Amino acid sequence: MQPKIWLSSPHMGGNERKFVNEAFDTNWVAPLGPHVNGLEKDIARFLLPEKENNLHVAALSSGTAAIHLGLILLGVKAGDEVICQSMTFSASANPIAYQGATPVFIDSEPDTWNMSPWFLEKAIKDRIAKGRKPKVIIPVHLYGMPAKMDEIITIANRYEIPVLEDAAEALGSHINGTMCGTYGVIAALSFNGNKIITTSGGGAMVAHEPELAEKARFLSTQARDPAPHYQHSHIGYNYRMSNICAGIGRGQMEVLPQRVLQRRANFEWYNKTLNDIDAIRFLKAPEGYYSNHWLTTALIQHPAITRETLRLALEKANIESRPLWKPMHCQPVFKDAPFYGDGTAEKLFEDGLCLPSGSNLTDEERNRILTAIRAVFS
């Protein structure tokens, strides 16, 4: 058996060890410290160069924590409704349930595979007509491809509903220079082990208002009131990032631009080497859209070969690939939630496959992947 080729494995840059050693040498191993503060500044500077003071970041234990705290800060309570993209990882929707609220799922559109602005507005109108105006809108940038944020923000402003932007997969992506993670009132980032950069586990909440980030930091450290003893006037959470993980993140931020280029190079390689197979169709970015191509995704549309045929063939060759996210409205846990759409996300799930996309793929591994794929279509 040949060595495993992973879908998206961590890729260290070298300086991570320096930052982590510094944390050990100074005994900053607690879930606070100078690397946490430094990482927050690094992220703000990357997302909003030369204006980083206008962006405020709270480094947290996960992207899920960022969405959860974002919902709390935007006032979502039990009985409320929150609009959420259906085709996404469950972490986009689970925090809605944490708050006792109901998700209202929106279908994808074919240009970016993200939230359909048309069904978004249809859902808002219908929920308002039912006396159930949604409290928040959660669009997602799937696999690094930006959602149609200009249209989504316009609709959100029209109905005065705040946007909580799930940019967990899209660090480094932008639309005409406006970075994903800066569109929403609040945004969530993820630094999970499979993301474009990692802190082992971790994430961040991004906000334009400093008060929101400060409140997130307060809530994420058990909401301890300023007092010499432990006093609490609010329910808090153990969501703060550790100084050790933040040290890894600071090293990773140094190589983030390179990682984006490497992921994009993978996408271009797949397009170039497989462009003669009509049954494989890749998602191309609309004009002005810049995807980090965290994962290269493809639709398999062939009368005899399915997405699962290809996935199993790759698995047999010890190559990891995965179906696209199964839409949330098709998940048993959310089977009773409202949904607005026409089946686009379901069809994408049926045909779609994520291919190995690590920034550390070698030429030998790429050749193995290409051989395995071509063998299926030969």
Side-chain angles (χ1 to χ4, degrees):
M1 179 69 70
Q2 292 182 292
K4 177 109 175 186
I5 298 177
W6 298 97
L7 183 70
S8 178
S9 62
H11 188 184
M12 296 294 102
N15 276 342
E16 295 86 358
R17 190 183 300 272
K18 178 193 76 174
F19 287 106
V20 171
N21 285 343
E22 183 180 316
F24 274 93
D25 292 342
T26 58
N27 203 33
W28 278 106
V29 295
L32 283 174
H35 288 331
V36 176
N37 300 334
L39 179 61
E40 291 173 345
K41 292 177 181 176
D42 293 342
I43 294 167
R45 189 178 304 115
F46 177 83
L47 292 176
L48 209 61
E50 301 178 1
K51 294 184 179 179
E52 65 264 27
N53 291 335
N54 295 336
L55 207 61
H56 308 276
V57 179
L60 303 170
S61 58
S62 67
T64 312
I67 294 175
H68 186 201
L69 292 182
L71 291 173
I72 292 170
L73 295 173
L74 294 175
V76 173
K77 296 182 174 62
D80 288 336
E81 290 189 349
V82 174
I83 287 181
C84 183
Q85 187 164 310
S86 182
M87 191 172 192
T88 184
F89 180 50
S90 62
S92 304
N94 283 340
I96 301 170
Y98 299 168
Q99 289 303 100
T102 298
V104 176
F105 292 116
I106 306 299
D107 209 348
S108 297
E109 40 78 15
D111 296 333
T112 72
W113 300 357
N114 293 309
M115 180 180 283
S116 163
W118 192 86
F119 282 113
L120 169 63
E121 185 156 30
K122 181 178 181 180
I124 293 172
K125 288 179 177 178
D126 189 56
R127 303 320 290 176
I128 290 175
K130 290 178 166 64
R132 305 281 297 164
K133 181 179 177 180
K135 291 292 290 288
V136 175
I137 299 168
I138 305 179
V140 187
H141 308 296
L142 281 183
Y143 308 113
M145 183 63 71
K148 293 188 173 181
M149 292 308 296
D150 291 337
E151 296 175 51
I152 290 170
I153 294 293
T154 297
I155 293 168
N157 290 342
R158 183 179 302 143
Y159 295 94
E160 298 181 330
I161 303 173
V163 169
L164 200 173
E165 181 188 2
D166 185 344
E169 302 171 11
L171 188 60
S173 301
H174 61 80
I175 304 173
N176 293 317
T178 301
M179 302 297 287
C180 293
T182 66
Y183 280 93
V185 175
I186 290 172
L189 303 175
S190 173
F191 307 124
N192 190 38
N194 65 355
K195 293 300 189 294
I196 195 161
I197 63 168
T198 184
T199 58
S200 177
M205 196 197 87
V206 180
H208 290 277
E209 297 298 327
E211 295 80 10
L212 291 173
E214 189 58 38
K215 186 69 178 291
R217 296 185 192 107
F218 169 71
L219 292 175
S220 69
T221 49
Q222 300 290 17
R224 181 184 173 186
D225 293 337
H229 53 278
Y230 286 89
Q231 179 159 309
H232 306 272
S233 304
H234 304 271
I235 297 296
Y237 305 88
N238 188 18
Y239 281 171
R240 201 72 161 114
M241 182 183 286
S242 81
N243 199 53
I244 299 293
C245 289
I248 299 172
R250 296 201 72 186
Q252 288 274 279
M253 286 298 296
E254 292 182 347
V255 295
L256 175 55
Q258 181 182 349
R259 297 294 178 259
V260 172
L261 293 177
Q262 289 166 322
R263 299 271 178 161
R264 286 175 60 82
N266 285 335
F267 175 79
E268 295 301 333
W269 176 83
Y270 278 114
N271 273 268
K272 181 179 179 180
T273 58
L274 297 171
N275 66 356
D276 60 318
I277 302 178
D278 294 336
I280 301 178
R281 184 167 69 83
F282 295 97
L283 176 64
K284 304 294 179 64
E287 185 174 353
Y289 283 55
Y290 185 93
S291 173
N292 67 10
H293 288 300
W294 167 56
L295 294 184
T296 292
T297 55
L299 299 180
I300 311 304
Q301 298 174 327
H302 187 280
I305 299 170
T306 67
R307 169 260 287 165
E308 197 63 3
T309 307
L310 181 56
R311 188 190 70 80
L312 291 173
L314 291 170
E315 184 179 85
K316 188 174 181 180
N318 210 21
I319 299 169
E320 184 182 24
S321 64
R322 286 185 188 171
L324 301 188
W325 300 122
K326 183 177 182 180
M328 289 298 102
H329 74 275
C330 299
Q331 299 285 356
V333 70
F334 292 123
K335 67 181 187 303
D336 297 325
F339 169 71
Y340 295 81
D342 60 5
T344 296
E346 293 169 60
K347 182 60 176 171
L348 290 170
F349 169 66
E350 181 181 336
D351 294 343
L353 190 68
C354 301
L355 298 170
S357 304
S359 51
N360 49 5
L361 281 178
T362 66
D363 289 340
E364 180 183 355
E365 289 172 329
R366 289 190 188 91
N367 288 332
R368 276 182 58 196
I369 296 165
L370 182 61
T371 299
I373 292 175
R374 286 200 168 279
V376 172
F377 289 94
S378 63

